């Protein structure tokens, strides 16, 4: 939460309706309570007044009955004594007893006191009552034997009633006020709780819980805000940072270590940024740096270099020193795109370019990259149809036993004959196929085709010969055993004539599950080789645990052999390590006799490379196998390979 206050880019939050709603609720319920109370008070007033009128009428009737004789006999004294009983009612101000001619016979109280008010007092000729102002006028006819002999007029005050009702109203207002204050305090407390919860939700909505950086949603909002506020006059830049091989760290050291690495990396990134720049975690191992007011080649390079500096020193996680590498793509507004989505896409394209350049580098977006990306998208779409249209085929490259100088097997390598682009090499489409998942279907096709082919070679008199097939990490995740069983069963090939090549990178990606799966294959008799060895993160400890029987030294370490240098030393170390672990070792990409001699001399078992043959059509392999019918080395002199028909060789 503290982070948010320091954040130079304030996250724009939705306007809070809650506060206003709560206030409106408290005020309106207070008002409703008050209105209900007042209505009730009105009702109380009316019913009290009704009761009072009833009471007065009753008293008037009793007094009239009691004075009828006095009126009849014109006895004012007796009449006055009877009227005096009205004193019992405090509301009665005075009363006049008239005879039939309207003459006052007796009187209770002093009408003069109230004269100004009662001057207009209605003198009725009928029994009944009238209310005017705070007075009630009651008239009761005095009757004797059914004949009217006079009338009694009582004037009463509503004052006490009004006072009572006023007290009621005051109580109502007071009670409402107390209830209102109570509700208000309660509402403030609830509001505070809701505010805290809302703040937490805001945090979760805009911040990444692992690193505390702003998240993808906040990034989109901020990019849009920068575009809106800066217009096209002032530029800014985006750096998309994707950690290379993060998944390996996660899988080998566990998720807690993975999270710690992300946290420490985020802190590093912030440390190396300019104060005005903001870092976001978009998810997984993807980060974004937003650098306002930045444009031009120099500052962009500086930005990329600063981000790279963040990765220079290894990061310590749970006792391990981890060297984090990242691929970064930089895009600029408004040069590369003028809307948020296209800008992020441009940075993504640049990042993809950085990855394809061998990772751990940064690339500034260039419009040509967009074209490449489009080409990739097109290939991706076409690849889905390639299998159906029968555009894929396999070529085979011999693997030579260095002692006997004979071909012991071949590696099956995939080729795509694109109807418009011509021959497309696996380097251009395997990664795409892995991303889209189509590699699973393609891999299945490769396994079936290679197994059928090796069975055909076995049937033509070369039973010990094997075919090595490359499989991708995604295929392994799908369950390799089922795919291989099906390929072996449908082709009838011997399991021992099949070898699986898994790159070191794929191997360590999900080591636990890979070990289990490969053990099943070994049990079948299928060979397992680790491809491109030396480029991944394998340690000796891992190698010992893996159910494998072969290592293929990556071409990069073979290239500079035999000149003295690190690569030669690594190649030799791999050879001696393989021997001590009892693994067969193959040198890949042997192009010169000097390389061949070097590996031969140091005890490397096999070699593969253009020195012997480029990957060729199966017919050319069959022809080579024919030469195996004769005893002795097939490759006494490497140059004899020229005998492979030129038509079946790849032009590459
Ligand atoms: P890889 O498995 O390491 O295959 C060896 C690559 O090195 C092949 O490239 C081969 O043509 C090339 N090569 C062999 N000898 C030499 C040499 O002397 N010099 C040079 N410069 N190159 C040499 P290719 O056929 O382009 O295949 C590239 C990669 O594509 C393969 O590397 C493999 O990882 C992948 N791949 C090929 N076919 C398949 C497949 O069916 N499935 C999967 N998953 N991956 C495949
Ligand atoms: Mg291979
Ligand atoms: Mg290889």
């Amino acid at each position: 939460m503290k982070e948010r206050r320091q954040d130079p880019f304030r996250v724009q939050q939705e306007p809070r309706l809650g506060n206003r709603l709560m206030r409106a609720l408290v005020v309106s319920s207070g008002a409703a309570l008050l209105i209900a109370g007042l209505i009730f008070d009105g009702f109380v007033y009316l019913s009290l007044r009704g009761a009072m009128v009833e009471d007065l009428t009753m008293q008037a009737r009793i007094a009239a009955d009691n004075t009828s004789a006095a009126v009849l006999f014109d006895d004012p004294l007796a009449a006055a004594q009877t009227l005096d009983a009205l004193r019992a009612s405090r509301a009665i101000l005075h009363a006049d007893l008239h005879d039939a001619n309207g003459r006052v016979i007796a009187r209770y109280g002093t009408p003069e006191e109230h004269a100004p008010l009662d001057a207009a007092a209605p003198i009725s000729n009928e029994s009944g009552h009238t209310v005017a102002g705070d007075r009630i006028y009651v008239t009761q006819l005095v009757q004797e034997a059914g004949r009217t002999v006079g009338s009694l007029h009582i004037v009463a005050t509503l004052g006490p009633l009004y006072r009572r009702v006023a007290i009621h109203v005051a109580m109502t207002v007071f009670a409402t006020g107390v209830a209102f204050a109570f509700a208000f305090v309660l509402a403030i407390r609830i509001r505070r709780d809701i505010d805290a919860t809302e703040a937490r939700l805001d945090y979760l909505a805009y911040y990444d819980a692992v690193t505390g950086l702003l998240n993808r949603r906040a990034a989109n909002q901020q990019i849009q805000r920068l575009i809106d506020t800066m217009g096209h006059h002032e530029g800014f830049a985006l750096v998309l940072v994707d950690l290379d091989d993060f998944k390996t760290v996660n899988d080998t050291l566990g998720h807690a270590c993975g999270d710690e690495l992300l946290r420490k990396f985020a802190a590093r990134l912030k440390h190396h940024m300019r104060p005005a720049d903001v870092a976001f975690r978009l998810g997984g191992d993807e980060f974004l740096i937003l650098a306002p007011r930045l444009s031009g080649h120099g500052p962009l390079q500086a930005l990329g270099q600063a981000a790279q500096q963040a990765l220079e020193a290894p990061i310590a996680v749970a006792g391990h020193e981890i060297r984090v590498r990242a691929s970064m793509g930089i895009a600029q507004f408004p040069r590369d795109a003028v809307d948020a989505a296209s800008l992020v896409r441009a940075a993504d394209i640049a990042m993809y370019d950085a990855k394809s350049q061998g990772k751990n580098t940064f690339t500034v977006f260039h419009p040509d990259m967009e074209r490449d990306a489009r080409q990739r998208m097109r290939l991706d779409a076409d690849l889905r149809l390639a299998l159906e249209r029968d555009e894929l085929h396999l070529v085979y490259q011999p693997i030579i036993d260095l002692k006997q100088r004979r071909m012991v097997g071949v590696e099956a390598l995939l080729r795509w004959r694109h109807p418009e682009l011509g021959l497309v090499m696996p380097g251009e489409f395997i990664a795409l196929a892995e991303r889209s998942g189509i590699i699973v279907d393609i891999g299945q096709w490769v396994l079936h085709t290679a197994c059928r082919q090796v069975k055909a070679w076995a049937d033509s008199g070369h039973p010990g010969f094997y075919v090595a097939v490359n499989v991708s990490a995604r295929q392994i995740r799908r369950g390799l055993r089922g795919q291989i069983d099906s390929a072996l069963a449908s082709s009838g090939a011997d399991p021992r004539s099949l070898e699986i090549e898994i790159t070191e990178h794929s191997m360590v990606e999900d080591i636990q599950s890979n070990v289990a799966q490969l053990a099943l294959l070994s049990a079948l008799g299928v060979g397992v080789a680790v491809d491109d060895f030396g480029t991944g993160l394998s340690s000796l400890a891992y190698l010992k645990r893996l159910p494998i029987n072969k290592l293929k030294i990556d071409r990069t370490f073979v290239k500079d052999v035999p000149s003295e240098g690190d690569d030669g030393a690594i190649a030799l170390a791999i050879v001696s390590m393989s021997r001590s672990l009892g693994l067969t070792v193959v040198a890949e990409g042997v192009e010169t006799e000097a390389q061949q001699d070097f590996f031969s001399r140091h005890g490397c078992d096999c070699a593969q490379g253009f020195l012997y043959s480029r990957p060729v059509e199966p017919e050319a392999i069959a022809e080579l196998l024919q030469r195996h019918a004769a005893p002795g080395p097939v490759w006494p002199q490497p140059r004899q390979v020229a005998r492979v028909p030129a038509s079946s060789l790849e032009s590459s």
Side-chain angles (χ1 to χ4, degrees), residues 317-492:
V317 173
H320 301 266
E321 290 285 308
I322 298 177
R323 262 222 121 74
V324 183
R325 303 184 310 164
S327 303
M328 293 174 248
I330 304 181
Q332 304 167 68
F333 172 88
R335 202 199 71 168
D336 300 334
V338 288
D339 68 275
S342 310
L343 205 56
V344 174
R345 204 180 106 78
D348 194 51
I349 288 173
M351 195 264 289
Y352 196 94
D353 188 85
K355 267 209 193 306
S356 65
Q357 280 184 29
K359 305 184 174 177
N360 205 28
T361 179
F362 69 90
T363 305
V364 178
F365 177 80
H366 188 276
D368 285 353
M369 292 173 192
E370 177 104 54
R371 202 190 49 218
D372 294 347
R374 252 190 238 117
Q375 165 98 337
R376 273 198 304 274
M377 274 167 71
R378 179 183 166 190
L379 279 186
D380 194 31
D382 289 351
L383 195 54
R384 291 165 194 278
L385 300 170
L387 259 182
E388 289 169 30
R389 294 187 187 152
D390 209 16
E391 291 167 4
L392 299 178
H393 76 286
L394 291 181
V395 289
Y396 299 88
Q397 189 178 29
I399 297 168
I400 315 301
D401 181 301
L402 282 175
K403 274 203 200 84
Q404 301 169 23
R405 296 289 161 94
R406 286 171 76 89
M407 175 170 71
V408 284
V410 284
E411 176 173 6
L413 294 161
L414 192 56
R415 297 292 179 264
W416 178 13
R417 269 194 220 99
H418 191 281
E420 286 143 45
L421 301 172
L423 191 69
V424 187
M425 300 298 276
E428 291 174 67
F429 68 88
I430 290 286
L432 283 180
E434 294 217 13
R435 271 192 169 194
S436 68
I438 189 94
I439 191 72
V440 176
D441 294 333
I442 292 178
Q444 185 78 5
W445 177 87
V446 171
L447 273 170
H448 276 261
T449 310
C451 284
R452 261 199 319 273
Q453 186 59 64
V454 79
K455 168 76 170 139
W457 286 323
D459 289 348
S460 65
H462 307 282
F465 195 63
Y466 73 86
V467 65
V469 175
N470 295 286
V471 295
S472 79
R474 209 152 170 160
Q475 268 177 285
I476 307 176
R477 263 179 265 140
R478 273 295 184 92
L480 209 46
R481 174 68 192 261
Q483 299 169 47
I484 284 174
D485 278 348
S486 136
L488 289 174
S490 71
S491 62

Side-chain angles (χ1 to χ4, degrees), residues 41 79 88 154 214 236 319 372 479 498:
D41 288 346
I154 294 178
L214 288 156
F236 66 89
D372 294 347
L498 178 64

